Amino acid sequence: MSRPTPWPSTVLNRIPGGRDGRRMLVVSIIDKTGTGLWAGCTVLYFTYVSGLGLGQVGLLMTVSGGVGIAGAPLAGRLADRFPLVKIIVGAQLVRGAALLALLTTDNLFLLTLYSALGALPDRAGSVLIKLYAARLAGPERVRYQAIQRTTVNIGWSIGGLGAAAALATGSTRAYGLLLIGNVLTYVVIAALTLRCAEPPAPSRVAATSATACDRATATPTSPWRDRTFLGYTATDAALYLDDTILQVAVPLWIVHATSAPVGLAPLLLVLNTVLVVIFQVPLARFGATSRAARRLLVPLAGLFLIGTLALAASAAGGTALAVTALVVAVVALTFAEIIHATASWELSVALAPAHAQGAYLGVHGLAQSTQRFAGPLLVTGVISAGALAWPLLGLGLVAAGAAQHRLIRDRLSKPSLSVPKVTVSEY
């Protein structure tokens, strides 16, 4: 009689992609633990260690964020031409080197230059991991991405707690130590990534299996000429706004427009993280096919509307109403975040032809990068306009979801070009 497989082993064996899939998840959690160490004190480092003023810090963050937008399409284009694992390793090492360079100067120009150089591979990271998941996990890519996102949130939490403990010492030396800690994680994950096997590129499979006629009638090779995909990317940029609302708008709204205690802000961010960790993987099954992912756009619109209405309501009364409404808003917007992530993972790959998958996903990466750049300006404008602006923003997000739902209908009625008939497991 054989012994049953221990529970931890059973769980690990269910992770798509086998050993390399598990190894890349370890890379993700170490990566985000290091990022969590540094992200929470970045602005403070430039203020207290580099000695920059408020306007100078704002300029640095704006310029580096703008330059970083180019990272996603650049990474996608490179991934169609060179081994993906080597590109990921290169991006990790560049991120580490650019961050380490911050320790060498207090000059605003050089700090901005190094931050911008680091922003390029940083923004490319999500595209490269999505490509790796699509190539390694094949049809199970949505489940793999859901597991990967859960590990990311766990890593962020660990890093954030470590940063909080270090900064509690009140020493400016702690900022430099946190920076170095993040740099060391890049070295570690680069070494681990080198141990991952190179997954077969769909572009090569497509090139050998598709006839010239097939390629001529397929989706345009260049995503910049594909109006449907560009429209999808534009609407997805709007739907990514949940991230900025949760991370930027909610804390500012608590301080400037409600009677809720300021200490509620970090608790709501913890609530967001916990909900993502608990529900991202279970809910991923509802977006496992392209048509199912498209159907998720309907409840997504409803969640956006509930969340923005709750934010408006939080400014209408006393502390109890404010706290209750803010919790409702964060719960609704967190589930919007979870559902949108699931739908976006599947649709962005399903709409991309296999022979240009990297280029397409690189362009789609502009959606998240653009939102990160322009989103804070938009939500601060909403906050300045007052409570009635929140429902208007919610209706705008509903319109974006409806437009995307209609836009991609005809493309998804055709056989998917994103997953080759020969899967990774058959190689």
Side-chain angles (χ1 to χ4, degrees), residues 42-48 50-52 57 60-61 102 111 115:
T42 304
V43 174
L44 299 177
Y45 174 88
F46 290 130
T47 301
Y48 294 116
S50 300
L52 301 184
V57 173
L60 182 153
M61 300 299 286
L102 296 178
L111 290 172
S115 297

Side-chain angles (χ1 to χ4, degrees), residues 31 34-35 37-38 99 177-187:
D31 181 5
T35 303
L37 287 173
W38 172 243
L99 191 60
L177 293 175
L178 290 172
L179 185 155
I180 293 173
N182 193 14
V183 171
L184 291 176
T185 63
Y186 290 137
V187 176

Side-chain angles (χ1 to χ4, degrees), residues 207-297:
T208 57
S209 63
T211 64
C213 180
D214 291 333
R215 291 192 293 271
T217 57
T219 306
T221 298
S222 172
W224 301 106
R225 298 178 182 178
D226 188 339
R227 294 182 180 180
T228 297
F229 194 81
L230 290 177
Y232 165 74
T233 298
T235 54
D236 226 32
L239 298 180
Y240 269 117
L241 199 63
D242 58 74
D243 178 63
T244 299
I245 295 175
L246 288 166
Q247 301 292 330
V248 178
V250 168
L252 291 176
W253 186 248
I254 289 173
V255 172
H256 293 286
T258 79
S259 56
V262 176
L264 181 64
L267 295 178
L268 291 176
L269 292 178
V270 171
L271 175 62
N272 165 257
T273 300
V274 170
L275 289 175
V276 171
V277 169
I278 293 174
F279 290 104
Q280 187 72 72
V281 174
L283 293 180
R285 68 179 185 273
F286 295 106
T289 68
S290 56
R291 291 184 180 181
R294 178 174 175 263
R295 288 195 294 269
L296 288 179
L297 295 174

Side-chain angles (χ1 to χ4, degrees), residues 96-396:
L99 191 60
L100 191 61
L102 296 178
L103 291 173
T104 66
T105 183
D106 293 333
N107 181 272
L108 175 61
F109 173 78
L110 291 177
L111 290 172
T112 303
L113 175 63
Y114 298 147
S115 297
L117 290 176
L120 282 169
D122 182 67
R123 297 296 185 269
S126 61
V127 172
L128 295 173
I129 293 299
K130 183 187 291 185
L131 276 169
Y132 192 86
R135 294 179 182 182
L136 187 70
E140 292 189 275
R141 58 179 176 259
V142 173
R143 175 176 168 77
Y144 183 85
Q145 281 281 73
I147 296 172
Q148 193 269 341
R149 191 163 188 265
T150 300
T151 64
V152 163
N153 277 272
I154 293 172
W156 268 105
S157 300
I158 296 172
L161 290 173
L167 296 181
T169 64
S171 169
T172 56
R173 185 185 178 192
Y175 298 108
L177 293 175
L178 290 172
L179 185 155
I180 293 173
N182 193 14
V183 171
L184 291 176
T185 63
Y186 290 137
V187 176
V188 172
I189 62 177
L192 288 175
T193 304
L194 282 173
R195 298 182 62 189
C196 293
E198 177 70 21
S203 56
R204 295 167 192 161
V205 175
T208 57
S209 63
T211 64
C213 180
D214 291 333
R215 291 192 293 271
T217 57
T219 306
T221 298
S222 172
W224 301 106
R225 298 178 182 178
D226 188 339
R227 294 182 180 180
T228 297
F229 194 81
L230 290 177
Y232 165 74
T233 298
T235 54
D236 226 32
L239 298 180
Y240 269 117
L241 199 63
D242 58 74
D243 178 63
T244 299
I245 295 175
L246 288 166
Q247 301 292 330
V248 178
V250 168
L252 291 176
W253 186 248
I254 289 173
V255 172
H256 293 286
T258 79
S259 56
V262 176
L264 181 64
L267 295 178
L268 291 176
L269 292 178
V270 171
L271 175 62
N272 165 257
T273 300
V274 170
L275 289 175
V276 171
V277 169
I278 293 174
F279 290 104
Q280 187 72 72
V281 174
L283 293 180
R285 68 179 185 273
F286 295 106
T289 68
S290 56
R291 291 184 180 181
R294 178 174 175 263
R295 288 195 294 269
L296 288 179
L297 295 174
V298 176
L300 175 62
L303 289 167
F304 272 129
L305 198 55
I306 292 171
T308 51
L309 285 172
L311 284 173
S314 67
T319 301
L321 174 61
V323 171
T324 302
L326 286 165
V327 170
V328 171
V330 168
V331 170
L333 291 169
T334 298
F335 277 98
E337 176 187 356
I338 292 169
I339 289 176
H340 175 242
T342 299
S344 184
W345 293 332
E346 172 60 25
L347 293 175
S348 59
V349 178
L351 294 170
H355 55 275
Q357 192 181 74
Y360 268 70
L361 293 186
V363 168
H364 178 258
L366 289 174
Q368 194 168 17
S369 297
T370 302
Q371 184 278 139
R372 287 178 179 174
F373 178 66
L377 180 63
L378 175 61
V379 298
T380 52
V382 170
I383 292 171
S384 299
L388 291 179
W390 283 116
L392 294 178
L393 177 61
L395 290 174

